[in-house]
Amino acid sequence: EVQLVESGGGLVQSGGSLRISCEAAGFTFDEYTIAWFRQAPGKKREGVSSIHIRDGMTYYADSVKGRFTISSDSAKNTVYLQMNGLKPEDTALYSCAADRWTDPIAIMYMDHFDAWGQGTQVTVSS
């Protein structure tokens, strides 16, 4: 069974840092691109960042560039999103998605994925 499980969300003050994780199971990890999306109540889903596991190519939305860093650990089948300089507008449910052999930019515009996690809540207080 293809599965993604997010963890690491929580409450943090503005300017603080948080690292969230996306653990994958049930598929060949390095054949996939993993992306982070976020959605705040009443707002559209936003693509945040993505990584092509095998070649390490990454993509960042302009809103997080320079503050967030995506990385992967193939030994743990896990993708991380290190979030620094957090702002109240970063508050959202963060979910990860996986799609096989997909370009890290193209996955940001997709609606259907091979796998989709349940999400982890990130709340940034002002």
Side-chain angles (χ1 to χ4, degrees):
E1 180 186 359
V2 177
Q3 191 175 20
L4 297 173
V5 178
E6 301 92 338
S7 63
L11 174 65
V12 64
Q13 287 189 332
S14 181
S17 298
L18 207 58
R19 189 180 78 162
I20 56 178
S21 303
C22 171
E23 184 174 359
F27 56 87
T28 306
F29 189 63
D30 69 353
E31 291 181 353
Y32 281 74
T33 293
I34 307 287
W36 284 101
F37 293 87
R38 67 186 182 186
Q39 189 163 20
K43 294 190 176 181
K44 288 179 60 177
R45 188 185 74 192
E46 177 188 14
V48 175
S49 182
S50 60
I51 184 167
H52 188 285
I53 302 301
R54 182 165 291 183
D55 67 17
M57 185 182 301
T58 60
Y59 169 84
Y60 296 93
D62 287 343
S63 58
V64 305
K65 205 171 289 183
R67 300 188 296 124
F68 291 11
T69 303
I70 193 169
S71 62
S72 65
D73 184 340
S74 292
K76 297 182 179 180
N77 281 6
T78 299
V79 168
Y80 303 99
L81 188 67
Q82 177 67 44
M83 304 182 290
N84 299 328
L86 282 162
K87 305 174 183 179
E89 51 264 44
D90 294 318
T91 295
L93 181 70
Y94 284 70
S95 302
C96 58
D99 210 72
R100 192 166 180 259
W101 299 128
T102 300
D103 180 87
I105 297 176
I107 197 172
M108 293 284 108
Y109 299 95
M110 291 171 56
D111 292 323
H112 302 284
F113 310 94
D114 293 331
W116 176 261
Q118 292 302 304
T120 186
Q121 178 68 35
V122 172
T123 303
V124 185
S125 64
S126 57

